[in-house]
């Protein structure tokens, strides 16, 4: 490469500067659910890494190599040194690719966030997999579980090549994912949650499968603050059903009330299961979402 020539863009989803910052970040789960294989996620269970955690009383049968002999010489009592155990956490990315996401860059933001969370997992030696849900009754597109920096380009290519479209409701998408998924960790659910189904059931399924729920609701600017008036015909992008409305401006108050109640309901469902929830505006600057919103909400460190 000649001096002064531009660096090759690693992915079309975000620029190299954003990627370099993401590489220094990591996900911050609450429950720290991990698997038996080794990784770099501290489980808090105690184990055999080199990072000291605490002391406990000696119990007959304990490995004497972990007795703190300095304390023993002062107190004449044996105490065991404990170390934080480093285990592998599975990061499961679940992307809603139904037709309702193909609006005002909602799915692009979904792809970008999934890629960002994937980078954080891969570069901290967590196992990362991805499921993309299109049509009801069809198996999701799957990015098989993998680890390490070497898998980053493959994940970016997988996410970049997805085309939104279909009628898969988010609640059935979770059912489809859990038919294939194995492992404990975090399930990051990226959707607009524009569904008429029961969202409590899929949240329960994820929780009981040993997955902490990170729910990301992605809405378009005109869904957050619509500017409409007069008579309208609304068309469901997935079912094709229509609804004629007279004096639409008069219904804005009811719409905002319903949207806010749904957001509150989703946040409660996640919080009751020791998870996290965030509503993201697809029109906001990506760097603001990644490096401001996520950090302020405690999703990443």
């Amino acid at each position: 490469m000649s001096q002064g020539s531009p660096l090759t863009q690693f992915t079309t989803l975000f620029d190299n500067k954003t990627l370099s910052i993401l590489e220094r970040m990591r996900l911050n789960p609450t429950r720290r659910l991990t698997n038996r294989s080794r990784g770099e996620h501290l489980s808090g269970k105690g184990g055999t890494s080199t990072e000291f955690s605490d002391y406990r009383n000696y119990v007959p049968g304990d490995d004497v190599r972990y007795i703190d002999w300095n304390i023993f010489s002062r107190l004449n009592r044996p105490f065991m040194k404990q170390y934080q155990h480093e285990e592998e956490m599975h990061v499961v990315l679940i992307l809603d690719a139904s037709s309702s996401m193909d609006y005002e860059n909602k799915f692009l933001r979904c792809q970008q966030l999934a890629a960002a969370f994937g980078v954080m997992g891969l570069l901290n030696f967590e196992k990362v997999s991805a499921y993309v849900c299109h049509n009801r009754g069809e198996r999701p597109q799957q990015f098989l579980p993998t680890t390490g920096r070497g898998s980053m380009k493959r994940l970016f290519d997988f996410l970049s090549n997805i085309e939104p479209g279909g009628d898969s409701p988010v609640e059935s998408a979770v059912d489809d994912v859990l038919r294939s998924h194995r492992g404990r960790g975090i399930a990051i659910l990226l959707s607009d949650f524009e569904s008429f189904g029961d969202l409590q059931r899929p949240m329960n399924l994820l929780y009981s499968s040993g997955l902490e729920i990170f729910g990301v609701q992605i809405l378009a600017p005109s869904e957050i603050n619509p500017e409409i008036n007069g008579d309208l015909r609304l068309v469901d992008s997935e079912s094709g059903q229509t609804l004629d409305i007279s004096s639409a401006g008069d219904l804005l108050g009811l719409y905002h009330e319903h949207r806010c109640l749904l957001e509150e309901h989703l946040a409660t469902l996640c919080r009751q299961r020791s998870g996290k929830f965030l509503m993201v505006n697809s029109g906001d600057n990506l760097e603001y979402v990644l490096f401001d919103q996520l950090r302020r909400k405690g999703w990443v460190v």
Side-chain angles (χ1 to χ4, degrees), residues 92-98 101 130-142 166-181 187-193 195 197-199 201-203 205-206 211 238:
V92 187
L93 306 168
I94 305 174
L95 288 75
D96 176 359
S98 61
M101 293 291 289
Y131 298 83
V132 183
C133 306
H134 287 282
N135 291 300
R136 189 193 305 262
E138 291 185 1
R139 294 179 64 86
Q141 285 179 256
Q142 186 176 359
D167 63 350
S168 176
V170 66
E171 60 272 12
S172 65
V174 169
D175 275 326
D176 294 336
V177 167
L178 291 179
R179 289 191 185 99
S180 303
H181 171 73
I188 303 178
L189 189 53
L190 300 125
S191 173
D192 54 15
F193 294 100
S195 169
D198 176 20
L199 292 169
R201 179 178 177 276
M203 298 292 191
L205 289 174
L206 291 170
L211 294 168
E238 295 175 9

Side-chain angles (χ1 to χ4, degrees), residues 9-11 122 149-158:
Q9 194 67 31
F10 197 72
T11 175
L122 291 173
R149 179 181 290 272
S151 300
M152 206 161 61
K153 187 66 166 61
R154 288 196 299 111
L155 176 64
F156 291 157
D157 290 343
F158 172 81

Side-chain angles (χ1 to χ4, degrees), residues 27-285:
L27 291 162
N28 184 33
T30 301
R31 298 170 68 201
R32 300 178 185 271
L33 295 172
T34 54
N35 304 297
R36 292 181 182 275
S37 55
R38 293 293 300 276
E40 286 200 347
H41 193 83
L42 298 176
S43 72
K45 297 177 183 177
T48 58
S49 77
T50 57
E51 186 171 349
F52 174 74
S53 175
D54 202 354
Y55 290 103
R56 66 170 174 81
N57 289 324
Y58 171 82
V59 176
D62 281 340
D63 191 333
V64 295
R65 291 177 300 171
Y66 297 108
I67 291 177
D68 191 313
W69 296 107
N70 290 325
I71 292 181
F72 181 81
S73 65
R74 294 198 307 270
L75 302 180
N76 201 30
R77 287 180 55 194
F79 286 89
M80 302 294 293
K81 292 182 285 188
Q82 289 186 292
Y83 298 89
Q84 289 187 315
H85 193 50
E86 296 176 347
E87 296 183 320
E88 182 182 65
M89 178 177 71
H90 198 140
V91 179
V92 187
L93 306 168
I94 305 174
L95 288 75
D96 176 359
S98 61
S99 295
S100 69
M101 293 291 289
D102 190 16
Y103 181 63
E104 291 188 9
N105 288 329
K106 286 198 295 184
F107 193 68
L108 173 60
R109 184 51 44 91
C110 178
Q111 292 167 298
Q112 291 169 327
L113 290 174
F117 291 131
V119 168
M120 295 179 210
L122 291 173
L123 296 192
N124 285 288
F125 298 96
E126 316 295 2
K127 187 177 289 184
V128 174
S129 62
Y131 298 83
V132 183
C133 306
H134 287 282
N135 291 300
R136 189 193 305 262
E138 291 185 1
R139 294 179 64 86
Q141 285 179 256
Q142 186 176 359
F143 180 80
L144 295 174
T146 188
T147 58
R149 179 181 290 272
S151 300
M152 206 161 61
K153 187 66 166 61
R154 288 196 299 111
L155 176 64
F156 291 157
D157 290 343
F158 172 81
L159 294 172
S160 298
N161 291 326
I162 300 166
E163 294 291 336
D167 63 350
S168 176
V170 66
E171 60 272 12
S172 65
V174 169
D175 275 326
D176 294 336
V177 167
L178 291 179
R179 289 191 185 99
S180 303
H181 171 73
R182 298 292 182 273
R184 295 155 62 85
I186 298 174
I188 303 178
L189 189 53
L190 300 125
S191 173
D192 54 15
F193 294 100
E194 293 178 354
S195 169
F196 294 105
D198 176 20
L199 292 169
Q200 183 165 321
R201 179 178 177 276
M203 298 292 191
N204 286 341
L205 289 174
L206 291 170
Y207 181 80
S208 61
S209 298
L211 294 168
E212 180 176 332
I213 303 163
F214 280 30
V216 185
Q217 184 184 31
I218 304 171
L219 296 180
S222 63
E223 291 175 323
I224 298 171
N225 289 302
E227 297 181 5
I228 57 175
N229 52 60
D231 299 336
L232 295 175
R233 169 167 288 182
L234 303 179
V235 182
D236 190 304
S237 61
E238 295 175 9
S239 68
Q241 292 180 319
T242 61
L243 177 65
D244 293 325
I245 296 177
S246 298
S247 302
D250 296 337
L251 296 177
L252 279 179
L254 287 174
Y255 170 81
H256 283 299
E257 181 180 352
H258 175 77
R259 186 187 68 75
C260 291
L261 285 173
L262 174 60
E263 184 178 328
E264 183 179 327
H265 178 58
L266 291 168
T268 299
L269 288 175
C270 294
R271 187 171 58 250
Q272 288 176 341
R273 291 153 186 81
S274 303
K276 305 178 190 292
F277 173 80
L278 181 65
M279 191 278 285
V280 170
N281 184 334
S282 67
D284 282 343
N285 180 275

